[in-house]
Amino acid sequence: MDWTEPARVVMSHGTAAVLRVLAGADGPFSIRELAGLANVSPTRARQAVDRLADHGLIHVDQRVGSRHVRLNHEHLAAEPAIALATLRSTLLDRLRRETAGWPLTALHVSVFGSAARGDGGTASDLDILVVQPPFPTPDHRERWDDQLAGSGSAIHRWTGNWVSWFELDEGDLHRMTSTDEPIVEEWRRDGITLFGPSVHSLLRGRRDSA
């Protein structure tokens, strides 16, 4: 998966950005309004609209001096197109369900790095921070490792990207936060919480107790 634009596997970034805006809107937009909301140039927005309108996926209302567009939700391609354009949020939801369903519950799980920032490519690992629970026996440790391996394999099948687990316990987190290690700021700045307390509250709590 291309983290800069997951939908690029089948459509351009401009098309996906336009579809994301139109999918969540009730009313029509002018091309300029659409470009601003999609964070693409008016030229790119116009090209995407023209292509989608040719296939009937977008309704175009030709007004004097401008065009107003809206998504045709009745089109057979509307639902799959929206699903492709919103792959990033779909993946995050699936990761939340996956980590919430672990038999051995983590204290915290979050995505960080290029996937969280949205600037990684198809060869980028999916960096996931995991704060481990205590392991009372070696068997618990073994089951934990099997759990991560199983989830890592599943995530690779979903995305084509390998997972890079960053595992630590509460003591490690406390030490790294108190010494202001650079990666802690990355977690604070880019982290997207999947399970447990938010990464911000987790790190703030560690800093307050230091």
Side-chain angles (χ1 to χ4, degrees), residues 1-190:
M1 185 175 284
D2 183 343
W3 300 113
T4 60
E5 177 53 80
R8 193 171 280 133
V9 64
V10 293
M11 66 177 70
S12 70
H13 166 67
T15 298
V18 163
L19 282 170
R20 280 192 290 271
V21 173
L22 293 176
D26 294 325
F29 295 104
S30 69
I31 297 295
R32 187 167 296 279
E33 290 172 334
L34 183 59
L37 291 168
N39 197 28
V40 298
S41 69
T43 298
R44 181 167 289 187
R46 187 175 300 107
Q47 290 171 341
V49 165
D50 288 343
R51 184 165 54 254
L52 295 170
D54 283 344
H55 292 277
L57 190 55
I58 284 180
H59 289 306
V60 180
D61 180 8
Q62 193 75 39
R63 302 185 182 186
V64 177
S66 67
R67 293 188 299 169
H68 284 69
V69 300
R70 59 184 174 83
L71 187 66
N72 175 13
H73 286 276
E74 295 183 68
H75 198 288
L76 291 174
E79 186 174 344
I82 293 170
L84 288 167
T86 55
L87 278 177
R88 178 181 171 82
S89 60
T90 299
L91 172 62
L92 291 174
D93 287 343
R94 186 175 288 191
L95 290 173
R96 290 185 177 104
R97 290 195 300 271
E98 176 73 12
T99 54
W102 283 349
L104 294 179
T105 305
L107 301 180
H108 170 86
V109 187
S110 59
V111 176
F112 69 101
S114 60
R117 294 190 302 270
D119 59 14
T122 55
S124 300
D125 286 349
L126 177 59
D127 297 310
I128 300 182
L129 167 66
V130 181
V131 182
Q132 307 165 343
F135 299 125
T137 68
D139 177 65
H140 281 79
R141 175 77 241 191
E142 184 175 347
R143 287 165 53 201
W144 174 266
D145 291 341
D146 289 344
Q147 178 173 272
L148 292 192
S151 288
S153 295
I155 293 166
H156 183 258
R157 292 193 300 272
W158 301 340
T159 66
N161 303 84
W162 292 108
V163 176
S164 178
W165 302 105
F166 196 110
E167 300 178 69
L168 72 172
D169 59 26
E170 284 193 288
D172 295 327
L173 182 65
H174 191 169
R175 174 183 56 79
M176 295 177 71
T177 305
S178 62
T179 56
D180 287 326
E181 295 199 22
I183 197 169
V184 173
E185 180 55 33
E186 184 176 352
W187 297 337
R188 184 177 289 111
R189 183 185 66 241
D190 304 324

